[in-house]
Amino acid sequence: MCAWSSLIRHETYRGINLLIPPQCPACHAIIDDDGLCGQCWSQIKRIAPPLCQQCGKRFAFTNAFSDGDNRCGRCLTAPPDFDHAIAAFKYNAMSRLLILGLKYARRHDVTPTMARMMANAGAELLDKSDWIIPLPLHWTRYVQRGFNQSAELARAAMKAANIANRKYRPDILKRMKKTESQGYKTRKQRRQNLQSAFRVTDKSRCLNGASVVIIDDVLTTGASLSSAARCLKKAGAKEVAVLIAARVG
Ligand SMILES: [Zn+2]
Ligand SMILES: [Zn+2]
């Protein structure tokens, strides 16, 4: 299948979405607006503090002995290569449906609402960043899907947060390896699996000393995002943060 046929298919789905009344992707109720119905939206939950200041994981309790380093045990012992992670909402049964709808059923109508939540949660990050980079897909996956959901979310979040288009740089980072699922691997296996998974193509050396935000849909183990951050830092980025729609755990 060529990239053109994927693009045509993608645009046809968009066209069809305009003709038939929109349905909630979770419960299939007819809705007036885009995205989920009101009842399903109420099941999308933000991640309430206290949070690890590096990976964004929620602490089960507030650490009374905190010395100002509010990081979880994992970030203290084996920190990821990104400096900070912010998620718009929790990965639960409902947000899973929302994200699967976008990725596999082309429910692009849910993108603006998800992106608005990302823009709210990460307003400061987006504002102070020099560059905003969607986590790239391997080209074979891109051809298969016809779009990169992280790029769709990044553009919509930037629009919602009123961020200048010039900050959007999907051209800097390339995915070189089609990596397998990371879920059941050990940390060491995940690192090996992702070795040289990404490459920076920064000919103008604009990453030198830059603050970068990587956008992605879901943070599960964080291994891919960490690998991308490592690659950007090697190329000169001073600070790398990640902004994701949903966080597992
Ligand atoms: Zn619904
Ligand atoms: Zn952490």
Side-chain angles (χ1 to χ4, degrees):
M1 193 198 314
C2 73
W4 274 110
S5 72
S6 286
L7 185 68
I8 291 166
R9 207 177 45 178
H10 181 197
E11 292 306 319
T12 309
Y13 273 98
R14 277 187 200 253
I16 290 169
N17 280 344
L18 292 175
L19 293 174
I20 53 172
Q23 284 185 348
C24 169
C27 69
H28 303 289
I30 303 287
I31 43 176
D32 321 320
D33 210 349
D34 291 337
L36 295 169
C37 71
Q39 206 170 9
C40 291
W41 267 121
S42 68
Q43 292 176 51
I44 300 286
K45 306 286 182 199
R46 290 189 188 283
I47 307 173
L51 309 176
C52 166
Q53 65 185 25
Q54 185 161 7
C55 73
K57 186 180 169 66
R58 186 173 195 275
F59 290 122
F61 51 87
T62 313
N63 183 357
F65 304 105
S66 171
D67 55 359
D69 192 349
N70 292 321
R71 289 189 293 166
C72 67
R74 197 176 149 205
C75 288
L76 287 171
T77 51
D81 287 277
F82 49 80
D83 303 289
H84 195 41
I86 291 183
F89 43 84
K90 211 185 276 185
Y91 192 72
N92 59 13
M94 191 53 72
S95 62
R96 180 175 177 270
L97 280 177
L98 199 63
I99 287 163
L100 294 184
L102 167 63
K103 275 162 86 164
Y104 303 110
R106 297 182 161 76
R107 289 296 305 248
H108 295 281
D109 54 324
V110 301
T111 308
T113 321
M114 278 205 275
R116 262 197 304 279
M117 293 179 79
M118 292 171 77
N120 283 341
E124 206 185 316
L125 266 191
L126 293 170
D127 189 50
K128 70 170 197 185
S129 67
D130 296 303
W131 310 119
I132 296 163
I133 301 178
L135 193 76
L137 292 178
H138 187 259
W139 73 269
T140 53
R141 198 154 282 166
Y142 181 82
V143 167
Q144 210 175 24
R145 194 169 295 163
F147 64 96
N148 176 0
Q149 71 282 357
S150 305
E152 304 261 321
L153 289 170
R155 284 196 301 265
M158 288 176 68
K159 192 174 166 196
N162 226 349
I163 304 292
N165 282 336
R166 60 171 178 78
K167 285 193 181 184
Y168 182 62
R169 294 300 298 268
D171 55 316
I172 295 179
L173 192 65
K174 293 267 176 286
R175 194 168 198 136
M176 310 309 291
K177 261 164 91 176
K178 195 175 160 189
T179 42
E180 313 148 38
S181 164
Q182 302 287 324
Y184 299 102
K185 293 191 162 57
T186 63
R187 189 181 149 83
K188 196 175 166 194
Q189 285 170 330
R190 286 199 291 267
R191 254 185 110 100
Q192 276 165 355
N193 189 27
L194 284 160
Q195 209 123 63
S196 46
F198 296 94
R199 183 181 293 165
V200 160
T201 51
D202 177 23
K203 294 193 180 75
S204 58
R205 304 206 52 76
C206 67
L207 280 173
N208 252 346
S211 288
V212 180
V213 177
I214 310 176
I215 308 274
D216 200 12
D217 53 348
V218 182
L219 184 151
T220 311
T221 65
S224 297
L225 286 160
S226 183
S227 173
R230 187 159 58 245
C231 189
L232 292 166
K233 283 186 171 175
K234 262 192 200 163
K238 182 183 74 185
E239 205 179 353
V240 179
V242 301
L243 175 60
I244 52 261
R247 191 188 199 292
V248 177

